[in-house]
Amino acid sequence: MKKHSSGSAGYVSFVLHAHLPYVLHHGTWPHGLEWLLEAAAETYLPLLRMLRTLQDEGIPVRMNVSLSPVLLQQLAHPDFRSELPPYLERKIAAAREDAGFFELANETHLLGLARHWERFFTQSLEELQLLDGDLVAGFRNAQQSGSLSLMTSAATHGYVPLLGTDESVLAHFQTAVRAHRKLIGTDTAGAWLPEFGYRPGGTWQFPVAPEGSNEVGQASQRIGAETALSAAGLGFTFVDAHLIENAERIGGGSPSLYRPYRIGDSDVAVLARDPRTTSQVWSPQQGYPGEFAYLDFHKKRWPGGHRYWRVTGDYLGMEAKEPYHLETAQERSRSHAEHFVSLVADTLRAQPSPDNEPLLLSAPFDLELFGHWWHEGVQFLENVFRILHKGTHGVHAITTEEYLAQHGTAGRVRMSEGSWGANGDNSVWLNGETSSLLSRVYAAQLAVRAAAQTPQWTADGQAGRVARQMCRELLLMESSDWPMLITTGAARDYAEKRFREHADAFSQLQAMWPAITEDRPLTPEEEATLTELERVDSLFPDLDPADWKS
């Protein structure tokens, strides 16, 4: 095994995952639609503008962006598209109101920041207008230009290790690729496993008893994540570093974090998240976002909600935050980008190649980190690609599929179950606070398994409508967001309410199924309930209940 020369360090691949749970028609503020509007205004539109700027300057950008299917559905929905322009106009108006106040108060510095916010949201509005109000078209255009390679994920971000039936795992990815193909217009080869949750095939049993049962049931064989990915035509995915570090490399030797491998006997490739760059970009304590000169996320001026203060220091109260200085933050962003590319180069040069192929450092992050949580994050990305274009560090940007096509994999590995969550296991999604959710999910999955065996499951008319809505509500129950928000306490009340709404909706639909199997029409009350659920939870119009047949 050899290390690479000082001239060429290797490749880096940014893999950015865009995801929000289904919030349309389920509240606005503080939890609900506002999440989606903020992400669009502060992350998605600035990213698309940055990509267009670099393309116009002839600076290539090569990276993967994963659009979760549930997010994609919301971005394409007419209700979201009608809400985004007035939201941006409200933010612009609020900045102008702030500017008027600061001008009267002779607060010259804060006046400049208010005008920054006016420019910022005006640019987002102008970018949206260039796209004729269609954010999905923006991502589609960026892929067609060669800047992005788009990936998918599980349909509603279901946490794969704890999904209780093989049919549910398979259906998540079958639904995902169908939705991606319809809205993006092309197939995709890559999938982001929600929460980087990987499960191997083998013997397994429910960790909690399904609701209505006192027993977890017999252990049985289940498929691994790679089987579901392969069945959906997906060829590569990502896991946290510890799963590769602790994996068995088939044929002997230790696997490298900087080469992809095939999973078991499958043709699905897996790549590891690099731990050094992860902490630098993600951590608000040790990483770049905690820089004292950067914009503070939490302190806001009301009623407009704009931010005028910097991080300032560690563990400070809101009253100790000092005014933000835009030029200082911009300079820190440039120096952090330089540090990042240097760190990538040093990391790659320090690694031996297991098969003498050039190495790849995978840098996967949540997309919303850039711009929304970390205001300077999109500018950081722009600076990174400008530095990579200069070529001074010997690091080259590449998409994951380009790298796989050129350099292949370094063998095969067998991995254990795990995630990127706390402790590297399932504990964020399975604990004393969330076990009751899983119990209801497992009961619903078994109910769908039973209903899918009836001939009416794939029929037309009311039967097909009820079957499709049962699948939608089950998918929404399975979202990894609800148990995560409960465990972390970030939005516990909202998550509990949302799960309960979808679980209750599923129960209502399940109660209609006996009439369906007896070929009896629904009562007027049942028809009204079904129609309302179809309106409120209207994602995946092309959903196919046949995906849930065992």
Side-chain angles (χ1 to χ4, degrees):
M1 296 190 295
K2 70 176 183 179
K3 298 180 182 179
H4 286 274
S5 68
S6 58
S8 176
Y11 296 97
V12 62
S13 178
F14 276 99
V15 184
L16 306 182
H17 179 54
H19 167 68
L20 283 170
Y22 193 73
V23 294
L24 277 180
H25 314 136
H26 290 280
T28 302
W29 189 90
H31 308 305
L33 179 62
E34 195 89 355
W35 291 352
L36 193 59
L37 296 170
E38 288 175 348
E42 299 170 23
T43 293
Y44 308 150
L45 287 165
L47 176 74
L48 293 172
R49 180 172 179 269
M50 179 269 283
L51 294 174
R52 191 168 48 79
T53 297
L54 292 181
Q55 182 185 15
D56 290 345
E57 294 181 26
I59 297 174
V61 176
R62 308 296 298 139
M63 68 177 174
N64 291 93
V65 166
S66 163
L67 298 171
S68 78
V70 66
L71 173 66
L72 204 52
Q73 295 290 302
Q74 294 177 93
L75 296 183
H77 199 288
D79 290 351
F80 167 73
R81 292 184 58 175
S82 68
E83 289 284 350
L84 184 54
Y87 171 81
L88 292 169
E89 290 164 356
R90 290 195 300 273
K91 299 300 284 187
I92 294 166
R96 289 171 178 163
E97 290 175 8
D98 286 353
F101 176 85
F102 293 139
E103 188 170 26
L104 288 173
N106 201 29
E107 293 278 5
T108 306
H109 180 70
L110 296 179
L111 172 61
L113 290 177
R115 288 174 175 159
H116 160 71
W117 286 119
E118 181 182 351
R119 287 192 304 273
F120 178 85
F121 286 104
T122 297
Q123 288 171 343
S124 286
L125 181 58
E126 290 171 347
E127 190 67 27
L128 184 65
Q129 290 168 342
L130 283 174
L131 298 170
D132 196 26
D134 187 355
L135 261 173
V136 175
F139 285 106
R140 190 187 307 120
N141 295 343
Q143 175 165 268
Q144 290 171 349
S145 73
S147 295
L148 299 183
S149 179
L150 299 176
M151 300 164 36
T152 190
S153 184
T156 54
H157 222 249
Y159 183 63
V160 172
L162 292 176
L163 292 177
T165 63
D166 289 349
E167 303 94 294
S168 284
V169 184
L170 291 162
H172 262 277
F173 291 104
Q174 296 287 355
T175 303
V177 297
R178 190 180 297 112
H180 188 95
R181 185 183 304 121
K182 179 175 181 179
L183 290 174
I184 301 300
T186 61
D187 288 324
T188 179
W192 179 287
L193 290 172
E195 322 296 354
F196 273 20
Y198 171 76
R199 64 185 245 182
T203 304
W204 185 83
Q205 64 184 153
F206 292 131
V208 298
E211 186 178 59
S213 173
N214 295 322
E215 298 180 354
V216 296
Q218 295 282 332
S220 60
Q221 293 294 308
R222 70 170 183 173
I223 61 171
E226 65 273 17
T227 301
L229 296 176
S230 180
L234 299 164
F236 65 88
T237 192
F238 304 85
V239 295
D240 206 18
H242 70 95
L243 290 183
I244 293 294
E245 289 172 330
N246 297 321
E248 173 196 356
R249 186 181 181 195
I250 299 170
S254 298
S256 167
L257 297 180
Y258 305 99
R259 285 284 285 141
Y261 297 88
R262 302 290 176 183
I263 305 175
D265 297 328
S266 79
D267 290 328
V268 176
V270 63
L271 301 97
R273 178 170 74 151
D274 172 60
R276 291 184 69 191
T277 53
T278 292
S279 60
Q280 281 293 157
V281 174
W282 181 254
S283 172
Q285 285 78 39
Q286 292 82 36
Y288 306 137
E291 161 65 45
F292 294 167
Y294 284 159
L295 190 70
D296 185 76
F297 177 79
H298 298 284
K299 186 171 183 178
K300 300 179 180 180
R301 185 179 190 274
W302 298 104
H306 292 311
R307 292 171 285 163
Y308 293 92
W309 298 271
R310 61 189 180 91
V311 175
T312 308
D314 290 326
Y315 311 112
L316 297 178
M318 293 296 109
E319 72 284 352
K321 301 292 184 177
E322 297 177 358
Y324 178 65
H325 289 266
L326 181 61
E327 296 78 8
T328 303
Q330 289 173 336
E331 177 54 38
R332 294 303 293 146
S333 172
R334 286 189 287 270
S335 64
H336 282 154
E338 189 73 40
H339 178 267
F340 176 84
V341 177
S342 179
L343 178 62
V344 170
D346 291 346
T347 300
L348 289 170
R349 288 195 173 103
Q351 307 302 318
S353 174
D355 55 0
N356 296 326
E357 289 285 346
L359 300 178
L360 170 68
L361 185 147
S362 290
F365 301 99
D366 286 337
L367 177 54
E368 292 79 17
L369 168 67
F370 301 91
H372 175 59
W373 297 102
W374 174 20
H375 179 60
E376 299 78 9
V378 174
Q379 186 179 36
F380 166 82
L381 289 172
E382 178 179 338
N383 290 331
V384 166
F385 283 105
R386 290 185 182 277
I387 294 166
L388 291 172
H389 180 56
K390 293 177 182 177
T392 53
H393 294 273
V395 178
H396 309 283
I398 197 169
T399 67
T400 303
E401 50 268 64
E402 286 174 333
Y403 180 86
L404 287 167
Q406 295 173 25
H407 303 290
T409 57
R412 297 180 177 275
V413 294
R414 293 191 185 96
M415 298 181 294
S416 301
E417 188 167 290
S419 74
W420 73 359
N423 308 313
D425 57 17
N426 299 333
S427 55
V428 170
W429 300 274
L430 173 60
N431 54 64
E433 301 296 322
T434 63
S435 60
S436 62
L437 276 65
L438 271 179
S439 182
R440 291 196 75 173
V441 167
Y442 291 152
Q445 289 171 345
L446 293 176
V448 164
R449 172 179 281 178
Q453 306 312 309
T454 64
Q456 292 83 1
W457 186 250
T458 52
D460 296 326
Q462 283 186 332
R465 290 172 58 206
V466 172
R468 283 191 294 274
Q469 200 61 33
M470 286 176 71
C471 293
R472 290 189 187 104
E473 301 299 340
L474 175 59
L475 286 170
L476 290 165
M477 290 171 68
E478 291 168 338
S479 168
S480 70
D481 301 277
W482 315 137
M484 185 271 292
L485 290 170
I486 290 170
T487 299
T488 62
R492 177 175 183 139
D493 290 349
Y494 181 73
E496 290 177 336
K497 177 176 180 288
R498 288 296 309 281
F499 179 84
R500 185 170 58 252
E501 287 173 349
H502 296 302
D504 290 348
F506 182 89
S507 295
Q508 289 177 294
L509 295 160
Q510 185 182 3
M512 301 176 193
W513 196 248
I516 295 294
T517 60
E518 295 169 7
D519 296 323
R520 289 188 284 112
L522 299 180
T523 66
E525 293 78 10
E526 290 172 329
E527 172 63 32
T529 296
L530 174 59
T531 300
E532 177 62 8
L533 291 176
E534 289 173 324
R535 183 194 68 81
V536 173
D537 297 330
S538 55
L539 69 175
F540 305 125
D542 295 331
L543 181 145
D544 187 356
D547 292 337
W548 279 261
K549 291 178 70 72
S550 59

